[in-house]
Structure formats: C-alpha cells, structure tokens
C-alpha cells in the first residue's frame, strides 16, 4: 500500500474495526415497528405527540419547508426569534441562541471562546462534541477524573493564573445517567476565576421544577455563564441552543463559525419546539410519570441483582462489562421485541460495555414489565452459560 492509496486505507481501517468486534450497524426503524423502544432519548414522549406534528406542519405552511439561508443572511425568521426568547425565559437567562444540533452548539461555543492561550478543564466522561470543540479551538485541554472536584481543584491550582480558564461538564452524563455536582463545580470554578460551561442536553425538559434542567433557574449566569441545551431529547424535536448573557450571545453571533456558516433551522421544527414548550409548562404530570417509571424500573432491576449504574435520570445503564455479553443481551432483547442501546468502546471505556436503557413518559407499565421479564431471561441464560450470576 502506498501513502496515497485511499481505497486500501479505508479497507484496512474497516477490517481492523470488524476484527475488533467494534463495527457499528445502522438499523432502519419503520413507523409501524412493534419494538418497544428503550433506546431513544424521547424522555417526555413528545416526539410523536400530534400537537407537535401539527405545529410543524403549520410552521412549514407559513414559512416554507426550509429557512433558505443562514441566520446571518436572511434565514433568521420570526419563529426563530420567538423560540430563542422562550428558551431564555425557561432557563432564566437574558438571551438564547439557536443552533442546528447540539454538536454544533458545543463546537461553536468552544471554538469562539477559546484559543491556544486558553486552559480548558473537562470531565473525563464529557460528550465527544465538547472534547472536539476544545481541539478545534487549539486550546490546552486537561481532563479531570469523573465527578472528582478534588482532581479539578488540583488541575486548576497548577494552571497559569494569567491564562483564561474554562471548566466544562455535561449536566447529565449521557452514558452513565448521573448528574454533575453543579454547586460544587460553581464553587470550584469561582475560586479559580474560571468560567463554567454546562451542557445540559439530557437534563433539559426532565429535571428542575419547570423542566428547565439541572441548571436552569436554579443557578444564575454568574454561577454558570454558559449553558447549552438540546431540543431533540426531552423536548422531542431537533436542534440546540446556548443561553447566557447579552455579551455571550453577541459574541457567538459574531464569532461562532458553526452558527455563522450554516443554514438556519427549518421553521417547522422551531414551531414544533414552541408547542413542546407549551406542553412542558402545562403538563408537569409527564415529568411526574417519568420519574415514577424510573423508580419502578430501578426497584425491579435491583431485585434481580442487575448491575445498575447510580442514576436517578431516564438513562439507566446495565453495565455488563464485555462486548460479547452486551451484544448477546441486546440481541435476545430484540428477539423479545425490545430495543435497547448496546454501547461499547470507544463510546465508553474498555471493560465498561453496557445496555443503555432509556425510559420515557410514553412507556406504559406493561412496557416496563416486559423489559424486566426480558432482562431476567437474559440473566438466567447468562448464568446457565457462564455458571455465575452477574454482580
């Protein structure tokens, strides 16, 4: 193979991935699928609510199917402006700025705020988009042990005082389901004159008194100057936003390349998100139902002795350890009509492969019962095969 033999490069990389058992497969879901879905992030069950579908259709009828240009040209429509105002109000921030995806929001924030002079401190389990954003900016990035404020304190204390410092963390960690110690991060960042950025993708709509997430109105912009949230999980639509001060949002408008150089969000999606925000405010019972299902699942799974992670959120990982067992359990669950995420390295550390089970307010009690029965069968078959129960 020569240095410029691209087909061989692709073939070799694919072969290595397949040989290591880490090849990913993409399944096509049909609207009529009878699988019970415990893999998605539709935590409040809003994605298929007919009110969102109608709002999306009405938005498309009024504005057209697409925004036609970037926000900076002529793609920023009244429906976008209204949505930004509503998101700022929800999170208790002066302003919010829409992005097309959560990945783009994180890239945009870190690329525009940081440079090689900046010191960035990230939780070791942060989402890939946060890690990539720091790389894009060329910032010096250090990763502290997961949820370890002492390790963060040590790293901050050793960093040059004359460099701008940014502490970055997920709010709810997407693979473990645990919630960051926001008050501890606030205090630690403040002691070292650092800004704090929280990506609350999996908390938005689910946590907080108003569904405003693990940060929201509970923390001011002085506590958490940079707040990122997504719309495609708890709110059931698509896209993301950054909420913060007037100065922060204006800075992003001027300098965040993923915002400046992309077509604005389709107006129908923005209209559907406005409908989702109405439902979020008017139907708190959805969150109550969700948290009741979480408690129900955890109680039943604990009785089985399943290796649950310490999570009180809709993300309920069953950590099985090795890839083969994880894939086998996922296959058996699928045969029982249950769809779960089978997560392996590099998404999670080696030896931490898991079933990523996610719960939704749309699940019925018999859905939870079916899931528990299927997990019990998987466990029984593993004991019969391996001779020892999972611990």
């Amino acid at each position: 193979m020569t240095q410029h033999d691209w087909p061989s490069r692709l073939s070799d990389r694919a072969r290595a991935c397949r040989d290591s058992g880490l090849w990913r497969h993409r399944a096509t879901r049909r609207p009529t699928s009878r699988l019970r879905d415990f893999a998605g992030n539709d935590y409040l069950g809003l994605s298929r609510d007919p009110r969102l579908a109608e709002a999306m259709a009405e938005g498309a009828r009024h504005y057209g199917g697409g925004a036609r240009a970037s926000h900076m040209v002529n793609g920023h429509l009244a429906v976008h402006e209204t949505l930004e105002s509503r998101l700022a109000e929800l999170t208790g921030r002066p302003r919010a700025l829409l992005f097309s995806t959560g990945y783009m929001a994180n890239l945009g924030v870190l690329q525009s705020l940081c440079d090689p002079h900046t010191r960035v401190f990230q939780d070791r389990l942060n989402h890939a988009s946060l890690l990539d954003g720091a790389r894009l900016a060329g910032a010096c990035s250090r990763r502290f042990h997961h949820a370890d404020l002492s390790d963060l304190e040590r790293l901050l204390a050793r960093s040059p005082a004359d460099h701008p410092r940014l502490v970055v963390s997920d709010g709810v960690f997407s693979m473990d389901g645990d919630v960051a110690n926001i008050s501890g991060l606030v205090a630690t960042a403040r002691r070292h004159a650092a800004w704090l950025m929280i990506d609350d993708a999996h908390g938005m709509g689910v946590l907080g008194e108003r569904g405003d997430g693990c940060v929201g109105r509970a923390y001011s912009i002085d506590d958490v100057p940079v707040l990122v949230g997504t719309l495609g999980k708890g709110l059931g639509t698509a896209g993301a936003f950054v909420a913060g001060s007037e100065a922060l949002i204006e800075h992003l408008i001027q300098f965040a390349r993923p915002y400046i150089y992309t077509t604005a969000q389709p107006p129908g999606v923005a209209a559907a998100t406005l409908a989702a925000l109405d439902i979020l405010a008017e139907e708190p019972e959805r969150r109550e139902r969700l948290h009741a299902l979480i408690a129900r699942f955890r109680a039943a799974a604990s009785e089985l002795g399943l290796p649950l992670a310490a999570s009180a959120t809709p993300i309920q990982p069953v950590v099985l350890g090795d890839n083969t067992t994880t894939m086998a359990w996922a296959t058996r669950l699928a045969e029982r009509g249950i769809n779960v995420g089978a997560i392996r390295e590099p998404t999670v550390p080696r030896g931490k492969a898991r079933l990523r089970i996610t719960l939704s307010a749309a699940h019925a009690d018999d859905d939870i019962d079916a899931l528990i029965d299927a997990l019990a069968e998987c466990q029984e078959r593993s004991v019969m095969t391996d001779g020892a129960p999972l611990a």
Side-chain angles (χ1 to χ4, degrees), residues 6-164:
W6 280 103
S8 295
R9 288 169 63 90
L10 300 185
S11 177
D12 290 348
R13 185 73 183 272
R15 185 181 305 109
C17 188
R18 290 182 187 276
D19 290 347
S20 64
L22 298 178
W23 190 257
R24 294 180 172 99
H25 297 275
R26 186 177 67 176
T28 301
R29 293 289 305 278
R30 306 295 182 191
T32 56
S33 172
R34 295 185 180 180
L35 280 177
R36 301 178 195 258
D37 182 15
F38 288 96
N41 300 317
D42 184 21
Y43 303 131
L44 296 180
L46 290 175
S47 70
R48 303 196 69 173
D49 190 295
R51 290 169 290 183
L52 268 65
E54 178 54 36
M56 183 176 291
E58 180 59 30
R61 284 192 290 266
H62 186 73
Y63 290 101
R68 298 182 297 280
S70 73
H71 286 277
M72 302 305 293
V73 180
N74 68 345
H76 189 68
L77 307 173
V79 68
H80 297 133
E81 187 73 18
T82 301
L83 178 54
E84 289 180 345
S85 296
R86 289 284 300 278
L87 292 168
E89 179 185 3
L90 174 67
T91 57
R93 264 66 183 158
R95 287 186 65 182
L97 188 70
L98 282 174
F99 282 79
S100 296
T101 68
Y103 209 108
M104 291 174 66
N106 284 333
L107 291 184
V109 169
L110 288 160
Q111 167 265 313
S112 65
L113 289 182
C114 303
D115 58 27
H117 192 64
T118 313
R119 298 296 187 265
V120 179
F121 303 87
Q122 303 219 38
D123 189 290
R124 188 167 293 278
L125 296 187
N126 274 358
H127 191 268
S129 58
L130 295 169
L131 306 178
D132 290 351
R135 293 191 188 102
L136 179 64
C140 177
S141 189
R142 298 295 302 274
R143 297 169 71 179
F144 57 93
H145 299 310
H146 176 53
D148 190 335
L149 294 176
S150 297
D151 193 36
L152 172 61
E153 183 85 40
R154 178 182 62 83
L155 293 175
L156 282 165
R158 292 181 178 183
S159 67
D162 59 341
H163 289 242

Side-chain angles (χ1 to χ4, degrees), residues 282-296:
E282 295 166 4
E283 299 180 8
E285 61 270 21
R286 286 178 178 264
R287 294 194 301 281
E288 295 165 6
R289 167 71 177 166
L290 173 61
H291 290 290
L293 289 175
I294 294 168
R296 178 190 179 101

Side-chain angles (χ1 to χ4, degrees), residues 252-270:
L252 295 175
I253 291 172
Q254 299 303 319
F255 302 111
R257 294 171 67 86
Y259 176 81
I260 297 167
Y261 298 111
T262 194
T263 301
Q265 183 185 77
V269 175

Side-chain angles (χ1 to χ4, degrees), residues 22 321 323 344-346 348-353:
L22 298 178
N323 296 342
R344 302 161 289 167
E345 61 178 289
V348 295
R350 180 174 298 179
K352 298 291 185 179

